Amino acid sequence: MTARTDSTSVLDRQLLLQLGERLKRVRRQEGFSSTALAELVGISRTTLAAIESGDPSPSMGNYVRVMSALGVSADLALLASDALQITPGVEDRPRKRPAPAVSVLVKADGSHDAQDLQSLMLHKEAIKLMLSDPKLIDQALATLEEWRSSGSSHSRFLWDEWSVILHRRDWRRALSTSRRGRELRQASPLPTILPAPIRAAVLEQVSALKKGVLLGSKPRAPAAQGGPS
């Protein structure tokens, strides 16, 4: 039986991570500091940092505003406006050539990026489970105590922080894409609460993204003479 996970969650998150990285690259190419671009767009530096890290919490409007300020939002602006209309009579005319395909390659570039994505999505699934079953939080805390009693002190300061996160239900820190967030996930008890099928489903999706997943439409064949049936 297939694990009950959001089959597109890993793909969607990688899309945002990929978009955020591209926007950061364009900002630097255009010579904008993060402060200057945030002021131009009318958002905080914190929000801009979230957008450039592919965080899903900023609104789509803020993503579009940043893209517009960088001059890369023409297609999105078209879709969001009344300019996207079918020219009168066009739908009645047969097409002489197929419509072009529009596709996007979604890929976790490099083993490090894939590992970060995998860790992030495992934690997202664990938090989803804990929200539905708070007893799992106690299970994660018990795992922390076992690790502490093992005598190893290498990650003790991270375990202490995890104890605070779990008691406060501070899931934003657990899912942060910052350097600190990545360090926390490397010493996290959350993956230990995941059932094997859910873990396997996430790993399978990340494995596919290592090779690359192509999204988009296939070219449509020209309409048959006489119009659509």
Side-chain angles (χ1 to χ4, degrees):
M1 180 180 294
T2 303
R4 290 184 60 82
T5 61
D6 182 350
S7 62
T8 63
S9 61
V10 176
L11 182 63
D12 289 345
R13 192 55 190 268
Q14 180 58 28
L15 269 170
L16 280 180
L17 290 170
Q18 195 166 299
L19 174 59
E21 178 60 31
R22 301 299 188 272
L23 292 177
K24 181 190 293 185
R25 185 183 307 169
V26 173
R27 171 176 64 78
R28 290 174 174 173
Q29 289 173 347
E30 294 297 315
F32 282 106
S33 67
S34 58
T35 300
L37 182 59
E39 290 179 353
L40 177 63
V41 176
I43 59 177
S44 68
R45 286 183 61 191
T46 301
T47 299
L48 178 59
I51 288 172
E52 291 186 344
S53 65
D55 193 319
S57 60
S59 68
M60 179 55 68
N62 281 332
Y63 268 92
V64 172
R65 290 184 187 97
V66 171
M67 296 175 73
S68 179
L70 293 173
V72 294
S73 65
D75 291 341
L76 280 178
L78 178 65
L79 290 172
S81 72
D82 290 335
L84 188 64
Q85 298 176 355
I86 299 176
T87 303
V90 168
E91 67 274 18
D92 298 326
R93 295 199 302 267
R95 297 178 184 272
K96 295 182 179 180
R97 57 181 65 135
V102 178
S103 59
V104 176
L105 179 65
V106 186
K107 186 176 183 180
D109 296 323
S111 59
H112 183 69
D113 289 344
Q115 184 177 358
D116 285 345
L117 176 64
Q118 178 175 298
S119 175
L120 184 65
M121 299 313 298
L122 287 173
H123 280 73
K124 181 179 178 182
E125 291 295 335
I127 290 170
K128 189 188 303 182
L129 288 178
M130 289 188 294
L131 289 172
S132 62
D133 184 3
K135 291 181 180 179
L136 292 173
I137 297 177
D138 294 333
Q139 182 178 323
L141 286 168
T143 298
L144 277 179
E145 291 305 315
E146 290 179 9
W147 291 351
R148 283 172 169 168
S149 63
S150 67
S152 173
S153 60
H154 179 70
S155 300
R156 185 170 296 276
F157 67 99
L158 292 171
W159 295 339
D160 290 342
E161 193 166 344
W162 268 113
S163 181
V164 173
I165 290 172
L166 288 166
H167 279 105
R168 294 181 179 178
R169 276 61 165 174
D170 190 1
W171 309 131
R172 179 177 289 273
R173 290 167 68 184
L175 297 177
S176 170
T177 55
S178 66
R179 179 179 178 181
R180 185 58 172 178
R182 292 192 294 270
E183 290 175 349
L184 279 168
R185 286 191 291 275
Q186 290 174 3
S188 169
L190 267 61
T192 65
I193 71 169
L194 285 173
I198 291 181
R199 182 190 294 269
V202 171
L203 267 58
E204 181 180 359
Q205 293 174 51
V206 173
S207 178
L209 283 170
K210 289 180 182 179
K211 302 175 183 177
V213 176
L214 192 64
L215 297 180
S217 60
K218 297 180 180 179
R220 289 181 295 177
Q225 294 292 333
S229 59

